[in-house]
Amino acid sequence: MRVLVIEDESKLADYVKRGLAEAGYTVDVARDGIEGRYLALEGDYQLVVLDIMLPGIDGFGVLAALREKRNTPVLMLTARDRVEDRVQGLQSGADDYLVKPFAFSELLARVAALLRRGPAATEVATTRMAVSDLEMDLLSRKAWRAGQRLDLTAKEFSLLALLARRKGQILSRTTIAEQVWDMNFDSDTNVVEVAVRRLRSKMDDPFKPKLLHNVRGMGYVLEERA
């Protein structure tokens, strides 16, 4: 797993790099917003740790440029604990927010959580995805089947987006529970089955061909079958 740290405070950047490297990550460091933006857009990173107060271009500018092309998970760091800053960061596309000073153990836990939820590898983000006649807009969080708008809840859309990103791959109930509900899977909980059944009733049952399939003993897959 490759992590990019964009931080202009040398001691903090070196501290975070050393700690993440000891935890098994490959880490690159950018010392200003211009270099950070370039590396974030051109490099192959699974996570970006991004400071807000940067020379050249601030963290919000780097984040905006990144979100135009990539869906790389971003953990924002800042010494400013104002609610407005946290809201702006999250609304701009940050995945998490950590206020300085912080315990490295908390940073490490947040990095691990984002990598579990995020894509397995950095991909050029597309705002629209399609599987057969199913279409999705990830920015507006809307979905259509055969041109008909689907009335999905937030969790149903998140579930469908996960399946669409991994189209053709079988996802276990454990993986779905971790990435959609951010919860450890409990075999006594049928939340995944219920959500899949409700999603199928809206996006699959009224249409042909069927796209959402059960794979006995393994999980679920979204794909068009002959």
Side-chain angles (χ1 to χ4, degrees):
M1 289 288 186
R2 295 188 66 202
V3 177
L4 174 62
V5 177
I6 307 176
E7 170 60 66
D8 65 317
E9 295 181 29
S10 295
K11 289 184 178 180
L12 179 59
D14 293 342
Y15 169 69
V16 171
K17 179 178 181 179
R18 183 173 63 252
L20 289 175
E22 290 173 352
Y25 299 100
T26 300
V27 185
D28 292 332
V29 174
R31 308 286 180 173
D32 60 60
I34 296 174
E35 181 187 15
R37 179 180 62 181
Y38 173 79
L39 291 176
L41 291 175
E42 300 299 327
D44 181 20
Y45 298 100
Q46 282 69 60
L47 179 79
V48 175
V49 179
L50 175 62
D51 187 28
I52 288 183
M53 301 296 293
L54 293 168
I57 303 171
D58 69 11
F60 294 127
V62 174
L63 180 60
L66 180 61
R67 283 294 172 257
E68 288 183 359
K69 294 187 177 181
R70 293 183 178 268
N71 61 353
T72 313
V74 173
L75 171 61
M76 297 200 81
L77 303 179
T78 182
R80 303 189 300 191
D81 192 22
R82 297 191 309 166
V83 172
E84 294 88 344
D85 293 329
R86 295 199 299 274
V87 170
Q88 182 180 353
L90 294 172
Q91 288 182 338
S92 299
D95 298 275
D96 202 355
Y97 202 103
L98 190 58
V99 177
K100 304 174 186 177
F102 52 83
F104 182 76
S105 58
E106 181 177 5
L107 172 68
L108 193 60
R110 289 174 182 261
V111 166
L114 287 175
L115 289 172
R116 285 197 303 270
R117 296 202 302 264
T122 302
E123 300 173 347
V124 176
T126 176
T127 61
R128 297 184 74 92
M129 294 190 298
V131 181
S132 184
D133 62 350
L134 170 68
E135 298 178 85
M136 301 182 66
D137 187 316
L138 300 180
L139 291 182
S140 66
R141 296 182 67 82
K142 296 176 182 178
W144 300 263
R145 185 78 195 268
Q148 180 178 331
R149 173 77 180 275
L150 302 177
D151 184 18
L152 303 180
T153 66
K155 287 299 183 185
E156 288 166 352
F157 185 89
S158 295
L159 172 58
L160 183 58
L162 172 63
L163 290 163
R165 287 191 182 100
R166 307 280 190 90
K167 63 182 178 181
Q169 299 180 31
I170 300 171
L171 300 183
S172 68
R173 292 186 298 167
T174 300
T175 298
I176 292 172
E178 287 178 348
Q179 299 204 22
V180 176
W181 284 269
D182 194 20
M183 59 179 278
N184 292 324
F185 182 72
D186 183 343
S187 59
D188 294 329
T189 300
N190 66 346
V191 62
V192 174
E193 288 87 344
V194 170
V196 168
R197 186 164 60 246
R198 289 176 176 169
L199 175 61
R200 179 179 281 128
S201 71
K202 295 179 180 181
M203 58 75 56
D204 223 13
D205 289 348
F207 304 96
K208 291 182 179 180
K210 305 305 180 188
L211 300 177
L212 182 51
H213 307 280
N214 290 14
V215 181
R216 187 179 298 276
M218 298 180 67
Y220 305 94
V221 61
L222 185 71
E223 63 182 359
E224 184 176 10
R225 295 180 175 178

